[in-house]
Amino acid sequence: IRQGTNGSQTIITGAASNENLANITQSGDQGTSSLTQNGDFNEATLNQDGLLNESTITQLGNNNIASVTQGATDNMSTINQTGIGHNAT
């Protein structure tokens, strides 16, 4: 987790999980991110740069990959993965 200045907030949760990978980078103003990984071998990458960005990634299952990059103002994203072997960018 790398956070810049101002209102950056990160919440990462996971229960009974193994071998999960999470990379979160936030810089700028008002960035909020939430990541939930329940399962095994999930991977999530979240990059936020700018003003008022929000993002949520939820992975429930195994072997899922999610990637979000936000580089402008007023962005919001949500990725929900349930099951096995999903890939979202």
Side-chain angles (χ1 to χ4, degrees):
I1 299 172
R2 294 185 185 124
Q3 292 184 315
T5 59
N6 300 320
S8 296
Q9 178 181 1
T10 300
I11 300 168
I12 298 176
T13 60
S17 300
N18 296 299
E19 303 290 332
N20 289 324
L21 176 63
N23 292 303
I24 297 175
T25 302
Q26 294 179 312
S27 61
D29 302 332
Q30 307 289 320
T32 298
S33 62
S34 174
L35 171 62
T36 300
Q37 292 177 312
N38 290 330
D40 300 325
F41 304 103
N42 293 306
E43 181 178 330
T45 302
L46 171 58
N47 296 304
Q48 294 179 321
D49 183 22
L51 299 170
L52 303 173
N53 295 317
E54 293 186 23
S55 187
T56 300
I57 297 174
T58 303
Q59 297 175 310
L60 308 175
N62 301 320
N63 299 309
N64 294 306
I65 299 171
S67 179
V68 174
T69 299
Q70 296 179 327
T73 61
D74 298 321
N75 291 323
M76 176 182 278
S77 69
T78 300
I79 294 176
N80 294 311
Q81 297 175 311
T82 302
I84 298 171
H86 300 291
N87 191 342
T89 302

